[in-house]
Amino acid sequence: MDRKKLTIALTGNPNSGKTTIFNNLTGACQHVGNYPGVTVERKEGRLKFKDYEIKVIDLPGTYSLTAYSPDEVVARNVIIEEKPNLVVNIVDGTNLERNLYLTMQLKELDIPMVLAVNMADMAEANGQRIDYPLLAELLGMPVVRTIGTRNEGTDELLTKVIDVTEKGLVRTNKQVNYAVEVEDAISRLKGFLPEAKGNGIQMAAGAESISTSDINYPARWLAIKLLEADSEIIKKVKTMPYGGPLLKEAALCREDIRGKLGEDSELAIVDGRYAYIRGATREAISINKIDRVSLTEKIDCVLLNRVLGIPIFLGTMWLLFQLTFTLGAPIMEWIEAGFGVLGEWVGANLNDGLLKSLVVDGMIGGVGGVIVFMPNILLLFLGIAFLEGTGYMARAAFVMDEVMHKVGLHGKSFVPMLIGFGCTVPAVMATRTLENPKDRLVTMLVTPLMSCGARLPIYTLLIGAFFAPQVAGNILFSLYLIGIILALIMAKVFRTWLLPGESEPFVMELPSYRLPTIKAILLHMWERTWLYLKKAGTIILAASIVMWALFTFPMVDQYGNEFSSSEQQVEQSYAGRIGHAIEPVLSPIGFDWKTGTALMAGLAAKEIVVATMGTLYSIEDEEALEEKETATVKTFAERAREQSGYTPFTAYILMLFCLIYVPCLATIAVIKRETNGWKWPLFTIGYTVLLAWVVCFIVYQGGVLLGFQV
Ligand code: GDP
Ligand code: MG
């Protein structure tokens, strides 16, 4: 039988249960990719139902369809440009008023839709009763009750989907009616648009839409977007033949509305939508206010407490890090050992020479260095996914909001910074949840100052070599703390001089607490980890090869003779020459050319710094370096003291420098991708190097003045 093809898109706020329902619908038939140009993930799946073969697209979770964040732009472009036959809007039933805001915006797109009121179990436990037929009538679209976690309502949802498809969009007179002044402006703007054509988005006959070759929107929607001063739409309208006069008229309309209503047209529109939602929910929903305070409110009393909130949050984080590192350590050792064995095996099976050196030192060494951090990163992401799933992460952002606002950032900025302790690459990606572009950029710029997992081996080695075990913990903690403080200071600096402007007020939703399913947590964890592996892995591999080449060539001196020692070889290699070249800049902060060379190697990935120093200070006993830490530490300390005259003080400065200067290449690549250009990644390199140098200069020269042993 030939099945009829149908494409549906799932939309909804983050955490409304979209992914859960997507999984219920499509089972294992999924395909994950990226949207072209932006790194927003695209998920698709397929299923068969009755005579239909249905393609399901899981759109990114968004609170609205403005142009504030890439996720929102992607979600709306898919709906407008790919024209799915139907949109399924999933809303969190425990939080209907807030969730329906997106619904109202979708409705303005004039596209057939079905509303799924999810989390019905929790809503009902809270005493909420919904009159579904009435709600459907008030909103002018079919409404289905679903419970994603129990796979309830899935068939009914599909039945409604087919039903709507077969009937087509039934236009009702249910739409948000804005204030008279706004409605007048909408009519005025619609008058400016060319003759309506019916070939817009999958629309019922008679729906108005305008279309030119590259723009194809419902007229009313376009008019509203212009009144909202939507940057993306304004950009597109500019390219239309009648764009100029239309934009001029829109500006006049906005002016006019402000004059008459005393508030911006954007706000008037937001008000209009909420008023409509309040009206609908008041009629269709009744709440049996159960006497007892809901459990969520009780928990929030403690967790969001003005006094206890921050200590509880910090305690939770401390616990998370403890768990991450204590549970991760043994697994790390296994992986390290595994790569050691792999290296040896490959080494034993390849003839000595360039190829062997490339594969063993360059490729296995470099990629192994990244994979070794996998257990820590997996555990950290597991913990964060759990905290996100329970709803605590949203509270953490809320608790931190006050502090973050002092430096001009949004409470939500804290989450990417937190992820930055694991790895900066996914942390930069996590900034996508920030709606304000300036908040997002500043967060992206300071996240590299959070001490990532790759810096840890540098610290461990140097602290072990130069500091007594009793103070080791404090030294380590001080480095993490300095990173956080510098990040906050730089955020303030950037927000004041580089990207001034108001930060977004806190409008984040606080979802009800729930116990996340294991499947959901594992999926989230895996998605992030995979991004880390894929993005970091490929770039690190390439960078390791480049670094290997810089350290390996030239292999003979200018007379064609081989070098007498490996140390000499390194000194004469391109990397060594660069180290010598930058020595004058580094001597004011107490570093010699060898340190310079090692730091340069760290550009590819921080963990390479340690390996390079090992080579430079010619630790003969390389086996020991790989196998027994204590032996390494001793050897390294002796060598380093002997050959470089390092003291605990210089070692500390070196750690400081490693903390601050240039994030690894993978991070730079991700920043470039996320900002769509070279400007900000280059800026990040520039400012971090400068900052590292300035901080180290102050500490070093200050130490010299105070008579520290240097
Ligand atoms: P998304 O962000 O919209 O993709 O949301 P997810 O599908 O990841 O769901 C967020 C959390 O809500 C997960 O922990 C789900 O297990 C949970 N969840 C989803 N649907 C329901 C439901 O109907 N009832 C309850 N109690 N929990 C749900
Ligand atoms: Mg999801």
Side-chain angles (χ1 to χ4, degrees):
M1 171 178 68
D2 245 3
R3 288 174 190 272
K4 290 178 245 177
K5 295 237 187 312
L6 196 63
T7 304
I8 65 177
L10 304 187
T11 62
N13 289 8
N15 271 315
S16 57
K18 249 169 0 74
T19 304
T20 311
I21 291 188
F22 177 78
N23 291 340
N24 290 343
L25 287 172
T26 60
C29 282
Q30 301 187 4
H31 172 78
V32 183
N34 261 359
Y35 288 97
V38 280
T39 39
V40 176
E41 204 171 68
R42 180 186 175 110
K43 251 197 212 150
E44 279 185 23
R46 276 170 205 287
L47 74 130
K48 298 197 169 92
F49 187 77
K50 299 204 173 140
D51 326 337
Y52 288 86
E53 177 170 336
I54 306 179
K55 179 164 112 177
V56 190
I57 309 175
D58 187 17
L59 293 181
T62 58
Y63 291 108
S64 78
L65 288 182
T66 46
Y68 281 141
S69 73
D71 281 358
E72 293 184 350
V73 175
V74 163
R76 117 179 158 191
N77 283 350
V78 169
I79 296 174
I80 294 170
E81 281 155 21
E82 293 189 26
K83 306 185 179 96
N85 300 80
L86 184 141
V87 167
V88 173
N89 178 205
I90 293 157
V91 292
D92 176 352
T94 61
N95 223 326
L96 268 180
E97 290 211 358
R98 170 71 160 127
N99 275 247
L100 286 174
Y101 187 75
L102 176 67
T103 313
M104 299 328 289
Q105 290 190 315
L106 287 165
K107 197 170 154 54
E108 275 161 3
L109 276 173
D110 246 339
I111 180 162
M113 56 190 285
V114 174
L115 189 72
V117 177
N118 193 34
M119 316 254 173
D121 53 338
M122 293 181 60
E124 283 154 22
N126 289 346
Q128 176 176 291
R129 293 284 168 276
I130 299 180
D131 182 341
Y132 289 96
L134 181 60
L135 187 64
E137 196 192 318
L138 290 170
L139 297 177
M141 63 184 75
V143 179
V144 186
R145 167 186 179 277
T146 62
I147 301 175
T149 38
R150 288 191 226 143
N151 201 356
E152 263 182 50
T154 313
D155 274 2
E156 200 194 337
L157 178 63
L158 283 169
T159 309
K160 286 265 179 356
V161 165
I162 302 294
D163 209 38
V164 172
T165 316
E166 287 177 351
K167 273 205 224 115
L169 176 66
V170 182
R171 313 198 89 229
T172 63
N173 56 356
K174 301 293 181 209
Q175 66 173 21
V176 178
N177 287 308
Y178 297 101
V180 187
E181 293 79 2
V182 178
E183 287 294 338
D184 282 349
I186 294 175
S187 310
R188 256 165 75 190
L189 291 178
K190 273 165 77 177
F192 256 77
L193 298 173
E195 277 298 286
K197 288 185 208 133
N199 60 346
I201 311 169
Q202 280 289 316
M203 266 178 295
E208 308 161 73
S209 77
I210 56 109
S211 80
T212 67
S213 53
D214 61 0
I215 196 164
N216 196 350
Y217 305 129
R220 183 178 166 86
W221 186 78
L222 183 66
I224 293 172
K225 285 290 137 191
L226 288 174
L227 291 177
E228 285 179 310
D230 185 287
S231 56
E232 285 279 308
I233 293 300
I234 290 179
K235 232 191 291 167
K236 287 213 168 138
V237 167
K238 268 199 192 125
T239 65
M240 305 194 327
Y242 45 86
L246 179 58
L247 287 180
K248 215 172 282 163
E249 182 70 10
L252 282 179
C253 285
R254 288 202 297 270
E255 220 27 63
D256 200 34
I257 291 173
R258 200 204 322 266
K260 285 181 185 154
L261 291 180
E263 65 176 351
D264 283 346
S265 46
E266 291 101 296
L267 286 180
I269 289 171
V270 172
D271 280 351
R273 291 189 187 125
Y274 272 121
Y276 188 88
I277 294 168
R278 268 195 301 277
T281 49
R282 197 170 303 150
E283 279 189 53
I285 299 174
S286 62
I287 308 229
N288 263 337
K289 200 58 187 168
I290 311 168
D291 274 342
R292 61 184 172 82
V293 206
S294 78
L295 187 61
T296 292
E297 281 167 42
K298 269 193 225 159
I299 301 177
D300 274 348
C301 256
V302 181
L303 294 189
L304 297 185
N305 187 290
R306 285 200 73 84
V307 185
L308 292 176
I310 291 190
I312 290 178
F313 169 66
L314 292 179
T316 313
M317 289 307 120
W318 181 84
L319 205 68
L320 181 62
F321 280 105
Q322 282 311 95
L323 281 179
T324 304
F325 287 107
T326 43
L327 294 181
I331 316 176
M332 255 173 100
E333 276 169 27
W334 298 337
I335 297 185
E336 245 176 331
F339 272 95
V341 171
L342 179 67
E344 264 168 39
W345 182 80
V346 174
N349 284 290
L350 282 176
N351 293 328
D352 275 353
L354 264 189
L355 181 67
K356 174 172 165 178
S357 161
L358 171 67
V359 173
V360 175
D361 301 334
M363 289 157 72
I364 299 181
V367 175
V370 179
I371 309 281
V372 159
F373 293 100
M374 283 298 294
N376 281 344
I377 283 170
L378 253 145
L379 286 166
L380 186 65
F381 288 164
L382 180 73
I384 290 176
F386 175 77
L387 291 178
E388 274 176 343
T390 56
Y392 182 67
M393 232 30 174
R395 265 98 185 159
F398 185 80
V399 166
M400 290 308 293
D401 192 53
E402 207 175 318
V403 179
M404 299 307 278
H405 251 96
K406 292 219 170 83
V407 299
L409 286 180
H410 191 275
K412 275 199 243 174
S413 297
F414 202 74
V415 178
M417 289 168 76
L418 199 68
I419 295 177
F421 283 125
C423 171
T424 321
V425 172
V428 167
M429 290 179 177
T431 60
R432 281 197 214 127
T433 52
L434 290 158
E435 291 176 358
N436 180 321
K438 286 180 180 172
D439 280 353
R440 181 163 184 244
L441 192 54
V442 171
T443 310
M444 215 183 280
L445 293 179
V446 303
T447 304
L449 294 172
M450 311 306 280
S451 221
C452 72
R455 275 114 154 171
L456 200 60
I458 307 181
Y459 302 155
T460 331
L461 205 78
L462 288 172
I463 292 177
F466 290 97
F467 293 91
Q470 303 92 284
V471 295
N474 294 341
I475 298 284
L476 186 63
F477 186 68
S478 76
L479 287 163
Y480 276 87
L481 202 64
I482 290 174
I484 299 173
I485 293 171
L486 282 176
L488 293 179
I489 294 175
M490 290 320 288
K492 183 78 190 166
V493 169
F494 291 149
R495 214 59 176 91
T496 312
W497 286 296
L498 190 64
L499 297 157
E502 282 297 297
S503 61
E504 206 88 334
F506 198 91
V507 285
M508 194 167 166
E509 214 23 54
L510 295 181
S512 312
Y513 288 104
R514 55 178 77 104
L515 206 59
T517 60
I518 293 176
K519 195 168 125 194
I521 296 182
L522 291 180
L523 257 153
H524 263 135
M525 173 190 80
W526 178 244
E527 280 172 7
R528 286 218 183 98
T529 310
W530 178 236
L531 280 177
Y532 167 77
L533 265 185
K534 208 167 49 175
K535 302 254 156 59
T538 47
I539 292 165
I540 297 259
L541 179 61
S544 311
I545 294 174
V546 171
M547 281 301 156
W548 169 84
L550 285 178
F551 276 93
T552 310
F553 299 106
M555 300 181 71
V556 288
D557 64 17
Q558 67 261 49
Y559 309 111
N561 299 321
E562 290 211 359
F563 296 109
S564 53
S565 70
S566 65
E567 199 194 341
Q568 212 187 13
Q569 196 273 326
V570 169
E571 181 161 8
Q572 289 305 317
S573 72
Y574 296 117
R577 291 181 205 180
I578 298 176
H580 271 294
I582 58 175
E583 191 171 22
V585 186
L586 293 179
S587 55
I589 56 175
F591 298 159
D592 60 0
W593 73 268
K594 291 181 179 181
T595 315
T597 308
L599 290 174
M600 214 205 48
L603 296 183
K606 289 280 160 87
E607 48 269 37
I608 301 179
V609 171
V610 169
T612 310
M613 294 190 74
T615 324
L616 285 171
Y617 294 114
S618 54
I619 299 163
E620 276 118 32
D621 195 2
E622 283 202 336
E623 303 284 82
L625 177 75
E626 270 153 27
E627 274 164 20
K628 268 263 82 68
E629 254 169 47
T630 44
T632 324
V633 163
K634 221 169 162 198
T635 324
F636 183 84
E638 281 165 7
R639 290 283 165 187
R641 282 204 196 102
E642 237 168 62
Q643 301 197 14
S644 66
Y646 269 25
T647 66
F649 184 60
T650 28
Y652 192 78
I653 291 179
L654 180 57
M655 290 190 280
L656 261 187
F657 200 89
C658 286
L659 162 69
I660 308 169
Y661 91 118
V662 188
C664 66
L665 278 182
T667 302
I668 296 297
V670 170
I671 296 181
K672 174 183 173 277
R673 211 180 292 215
E674 294 289 311
T675 57
N676 264 326
W678 277 109
K679 179 173 162 201
W680 293 110
L682 290 177
F683 177 81
T684 309
I685 298 179
Y687 107 77
T688 48
V689 171
L690 199 66
L691 183 67
W693 194 87
V694 169
V695 170
C696 291
F697 182 79
I698 294 172
V699 176
Y700 180 75
Q701 297 296 345
V704 172
L705 280 181
L706 292 176
F708 273 112
Q709 197 197 12
V710 291

